[in-house]
Amino acid sequence: MTAGAELLRRNGYTGTGVKQIVQAANAPFGSLYHFFPGGKEQLGEEVIRTSGMLYLALFEIFFADEPDLIHGIEACFASAAETLRETDYADACPIATVALEVASTNEKLRIATADVFTAWIEAGTEKFGKYGLSAESARLLTIALVNSLEGAFVLSRSLRNTESLQVAGISSVALARTLLP
Amino acid sequence: MTAGAELLRRNGYTGTGVKQIVQAANAPFGSLYHFFPGGKEQLGEEVIRTSGMLYLALFEIFFADEPDLIHGIEACFASAAETLRETDYADACPIATVALEVASTNEKLRIATADVFTAWIEAGTEKFGKYGLSAESARLLTIALVNSLEGAFVLSRSLRNTESLQVAGISSVALARTLLP
DNA sequence: GTCTATAATTCGATAGAC
DNA sequence: GTCTATCGAATTATAGAC
């Protein structure tokens, strides 16, 4: 699962072979179809769902016991930029690459990515509501934040710099200030 | 080229076969390697570069003879949302799917996507400067706009709705208002 | 649970006639 | 320029022994 998650986020679903996964995991090939009788698709779906929940937990950490919404947002994008630099621009969003690949070709995997994004949006909406935002504003800010993060990941990985993530942080903070009471 | 562009933006680079492209184009298979001796990689690179320039031209149209920056931004995102709905959430950004796929695996194609994004950012920076923004503000707004658009495309294709694009329009307009003199 | 061999298909790419 | 046949390697998945 861990090896699969790393390869899928970096090379995508069709760009990753099952043999490549078991080799990276130092796992016996026979075990793959023992634990994942559904094959590559089942492995892919479980990777998407668990990676999505792990990433959500990461988000929760940034705003846990954080009294300041603005500082929480800044920390999010700064941390994302640091991870990109440290991993040579490989480890961005754990599911975006697969999400774009399968959106028009594999309905089961597409739904898995949609469930993850929905969970993120609902969690963010609830969290931001605690900073005094209305339900509508909290949802707007959450989606705008995910938009900026995902888009900045695309630019960052392609251009191999973190300017887009810095801009995403600035623009998200600016939006938060206009929504904050 | 046209068939390749459509398949690559929808299914990605590794997810599209060369036989699939020539079949979709109703083209003779032998012609592919006649016109693209470099094979799939050459075709992919040319598709990325020409699609990127076509998309840039689309952007220029929205702001040509448009005296109001805010209305231009709103029209961009409204048009993107309409295209997504009309194509059953297939035709979003022509190069983002490939960009994420190849960022860590194919340097030649990665550079092609980077050149496209760089051209977009430079064109937007120049265009927005004409509305009275400083060079720094114009570049910030451009990158923020691309961030929001690319991220909203990911969410829109996965969730099969246009809420993320509406939010992207709202947040981009809000940012533009804070930067405008 | 794990191993090896292999089935069945598809992949990108090429050869050589026309 | 186009066509067909095909190559060699890769793909996912399975069979059957251990």
Side-chain angles (χ1 to χ4, degrees):
Chain A
M1 286 283 295
T2 307
E6 181 167 310
L7 287 168
L8 287 189
R9 72 153 43 165
R10 296 184 177 189
N11 310 339
Y13 183 73
T14 52
T16 303
V18 291
K19 292 179 181 175
Q20 193 181 356
I21 294 175
V22 296
Q23 185 176 5
N26 270 0
F29 181 76
S31 299
L32 201 162
Y33 287 90
H34 176 76
F35 292 105
F36 302 93
K40 185 182 185 180
E41 192 178 38
Q42 182 190 349
L43 175 62
E45 181 176 358
E46 296 197 22
V47 163
I48 290 168
R49 294 189 184 277
T50 59
S51 296
M53 290 307 103
L54 282 174
Y55 213 64
L56 175 57
L58 210 62
F59 163 82
E60 302 276 9
I61 289 174
F62 278 109
F63 291 93
D65 312 317
E66 173 60 68
D68 188 352
L69 173 61
I70 304 296
H71 284 136
I73 292 174
E74 287 173 343
C76 272
F77 288 98
S79 169
E82 191 185 351
T83 300
L84 264 289
R85 276 192 304 268
E86 285 175 352
T87 61
D88 199 32
Y89 302 95
D91 287 357
C93 174
I95 67 164
T97 309
V98 177
L100 285 179
E101 271 186 294
V102 303
S104 301
T105 55
N106 187 316
E107 188 66 0
K108 185 179 288 187
L109 294 183
R110 191 221 107 219
I111 290 174
T113 65
D115 288 345
V116 168
F117 286 133
T118 299
W120 291 1
I121 292 170
E122 287 175 355
T125 302
E126 187 187 342
K127 179 69 72 178
F128 292 158
K130 293 181 178 170
Y131 292 94
L133 273 65
S134 70
E136 299 92 303
S137 290
R139 184 175 178 89
L140 179 80
L141 179 60
T142 303
I143 296 177
L145 204 141
V146 176
N147 278 346
S148 296
L149 184 65
E150 293 292 354
F153 277 153
V154 176
L155 290 184
S156 178
R157 291 194 66 199
S158 171
L159 295 167
R160 298 180 74 81
N161 65 47
T162 54
E163 183 184 13
S164 61
L165 283 161
Q166 293 172 32
V167 170
I170 292 170
S171 66
S172 296
V173 165
L175 178 65
R177 286 196 203 281
T178 69
L179 296 174
L180 233 30
Chain B
M1 287 284 294
T2 307
E6 181 167 312
L7 286 167
L8 287 188
R9 73 153 41 164
R10 295 182 178 190
N11 309 338
Y13 183 73
T14 53
T16 302
V18 291
K19 292 176 182 174
Q20 191 182 356
I21 294 175
V22 295
Q23 185 176 7
N26 269 2
F29 182 76
S31 300
L32 201 161
Y33 286 91
H34 177 75
F35 292 106
F36 302 93
K40 186 184 185 180
E41 192 177 39
Q42 184 189 349
L43 175 61
E45 180 176 358
E46 295 197 21
V47 163
I48 289 168
R49 295 190 183 277
T50 59
S51 296
M53 290 306 103
L54 281 174
Y55 214 64
L56 175 58
L58 210 62
F59 162 83
E60 302 276 7
I61 290 173
F62 278 109
F63 291 94
D65 310 318
E66 172 63 68
D68 188 350
L69 172 63
I70 303 295
H71 284 136
I73 293 174
E74 286 172 344
C76 272
F77 288 99
S79 169
E82 191 184 351
T83 301
L84 264 290
R85 276 192 305 268
E86 284 174 351
T87 60
D88 199 30
Y89 302 96
D91 287 358
C93 174
I95 67 165
T97 308
V98 177
L100 285 179
E101 272 186 292
V102 303
S104 302
T105 56
N106 187 316
E107 188 66 2
K108 185 180 288 185
L109 294 183
R110 192 221 107 217
I111 289 174
T113 66
D115 288 345
V116 168
F117 286 132
T118 299
W120 290 2
I121 292 170
E122 287 175 356
T125 300
E126 187 187 342
K127 179 67 76 176
F128 292 158
K130 295 181 178 170
Y131 292 95
L133 273 65
S134 69
E136 298 94 306
S137 289
R139 184 175 177 89
L140 179 81
L141 179 61
T142 303
I143 295 177
L145 205 141
V146 176
N147 277 346
S148 295
L149 184 66
E150 293 292 356
F153 276 153
V154 176
L155 289 183
S156 179
R157 290 193 67 199
S158 171
L159 295 168
R160 298 181 71 82
N161 65 48
T162 54
E163 184 185 13
S164 61
L165 283 161
Q166 293 172 32
V167 170
I170 292 170
S171 65
S172 296
V173 166
L175 179 65
R177 286 196 203 281
T178 69
L179 297 175
L180 234 30

